Amino acid sequence: MATRRMMHAAAAVCAVALVLFAGHIGALPAGCRKHVKKVTDYGAVGDGKTSNTAAFAKAVAELSNCAGDGGAALVVPAGKWLTGPFNLTSHFTLFLDHGAEILASQTPKWRMFTDKYKLVNGKNGTINGQGQVWWDKFHAKELTYARGYLLELLYSDSIIISNVTFVDSPSWNLHPTYCTNVTISGVTILAPVNSPNTDGIDPDSSSHVKIEDCYIVSGDDCIAVKSGWDQYGIKFNMPSQHIVIKRLTCISPTSAMIALGSEMSGGIQDVRAEDSVAINTESGVRIKSGVGRGGFVKDVFVRGLSLHTMKWVFWMTGNYGQHPDNSSDRRALPDVTGINYSNVFAENVTMAGRMEGIPNDPYTGICMSNVMVHLAPDAKKLQWNCTDVKGVSSNVSPKPCPELGAAGKPCAFPEEELVIGPSILPQCSY
Ligand SMILES: *[C@@H]1O[C@H](CO)[C@@H](O)[C@H](O)[C@H]1NC(C)=O
Ligand SMILES: *[C@@H]1O[C@H](CO)[C@@H](O)[C@H](O)[C@H]1NC(C)=O
Ligand SMILES: *[C@@H]1O[C@H](CO)[C@@H](O)[C@H](O)[C@H]1NC(C)=O
Ligand SMILES: *[C@@H]1O[C@H](CO)[C@@H](O)[C@H](O)[C@H]1NC(C)=O
Ligand SMILES: *[C@@H]1O[C@H](CO)[C@@H](O)[C@H](O)[C@H]1NC(C)=O
Ligand SMILES: *[C@@H]1O[C@H](CO)[C@@H](O)[C@H](O)[C@H]1NC(C)=O
Ligand SMILES: *[C@@H]1O[C@H](CO)[C@@H](O)[C@H](O)[C@H]1NC(C)=O
Ligand SMILES: *[C@@H]1O[C@H](CO)[C@@H](O)[C@H](O)[C@H]1NC(C)=O
């Protein structure tokens, strides 16, 4: 109630604050937003039919004036709120109440853009991309442009996305690009397992990203860490680094639980994945690269995976095709090194490891320890197929290929935790 009263008192203050605080960038707000508005205050109608694009745009434009004065929350109450793409703003929370569902209108290129100090959270409200129409057009080869991503974060820092559900994205779901300090917590992502390119979360040329307690069912990689494509990524040269993934649950029958690449030309470094579960998923932590991609994938730490029904527990690919055009530099070779896996339990597995580096550019420094793979009844006779890779192992069953056969120690995992975002997420109810 206090916040509501403050909101009315301060409605005019925001405009003044804009002048006073324009350009000011403070610390991540530890608490809750000072100004609170409902999307209905801007004329929105939650009947699932009325277009609310103008209402969201008006709300965000007005509330952006509160950035320097304690920030603002835009509450989306229970109901179905149809809208085209809209942008978020700084020092801003989009709060989806219980039973709230934002429905993406079926206009081209649905995306939400944001920049600084934003939160998208709530009581498990939903953002529904209504992707079926885009999947159909994609399959029919009717699209001359890329399908939109559901939530696009660009050049943003201090972002929290928590307790929301993303459903049926036209393409990738969450795409933080050129961002720092991103926390994604308690997020559910659901798409049919045969929907095209519905990656769950794709941190792209971003650093200090924490993904925890998320549940993802999708038609593509549950998480895919990326950093640019071939000569364009090499030139832009912005790695994805310091990425933490904890307590992920993934279902993705034709893709990876966590993919590193294939776009990795700006480099991927210091990825830490732990305590996660995959069910009916093609592979665990997969590294995808190839000649022409350049860049690097290094210092990857994985521990505590529980995997059920997998095609390949370990999968590295050195000939991942797909180049943006013909001007990729064939001399640009990726450097893949320092990949540590420990405490991996898997069952109902077709093949333990498909480990394929690049001729004259081997993937090195691979370490596996304490790995127990139980095979499916129809498992392959050949359990490990290794080419152009080099590493060590200890306590791995079934017995790894000679390339990984040298006796190793338990594979290390960094002792010190990375500090990403606030240690306690703000608990706000609006
Ligand atoms: C969002 O902001 C970007 C960058 O300023 C702009 O290009 C785009 O048109 C905006 N989109 C909408 C839907 O307002
Ligand atoms: C959030 O909503 C989704 C979709 O309705 C549901 O599957 C999930 O269990 C919910 N999560 C929580 C924590 O309530
Ligand atoms: C998210 O939901 C969980 C479970 O209901 C709750 O414990 C937690 O406080 C919520 N987090 C935020 C940031 O609202
Ligand atoms: C790329 O090269 C292939 C084979 O040489 C050729 O068929 C194709 O037209 C080229 N594409 C472009 C965009 O130049
Ligand atoms: C084992 O995996 C196969 C697919 O390879 C699947 O059909 C079967 O249901 C799985 N069994 C169990 C017990 O999960
Ligand atoms: C092993 O991997 C290599 C390189 O990818 C491939 O050419 C070969 O066919 C594979 N062998 C088997 C038996 O699958
Ligand atoms: C992986 O663990 C091994 C064995 O403890 C260690 O020698 C190696 O340095 C670790 N890799 C990285 C990238 O830290
Ligand atoms: C990230 O957030 C933490 C905690 O809020 C803060 O201490 C740190 O300076 C931030 N780092 C960056 C790079 O923004």
Side-chain angles (χ1 to χ4, degrees), residues 12 87 123 134 251 294 355:
N87 285 341
K123 296 182 178 160
W134 304 111
I251 300 177
M355 312 289 286

Side-chain angles (χ1 to χ4, degrees), residues 28 157-158 180-181 208 419-422:
L28 179 79
D157 62 81
S158 305
T180 55
N181 250 348
H208 294 90
V419 176
I420 300 173

Side-chain angles (χ1 to χ4, degrees), residues 402-417:
E403 288 82 352
L404 304 175
K409 294 181 294 188
C411 310
F413 193 100
E415 306 255 318
E416 247 177 76
E417 275 207 41

Side-chain angles (χ1 to χ4, degrees), residues 124-126 163-165 167 186 188 190 215:
N124 202 21
T126 298
N163 288 5
V164 290
T165 297
V167 174
T188 302
L190 306 171
Y215 177 80

Side-chain angles (χ1 to χ4, degrees), residues 95 121-122 160 162-163 185-186 425-428:
F95 188 90
N121 78 350
I160 298 171
S162 66
N163 288 5
S185 175
L425 295 181
Q427 306 285 314
C428 313

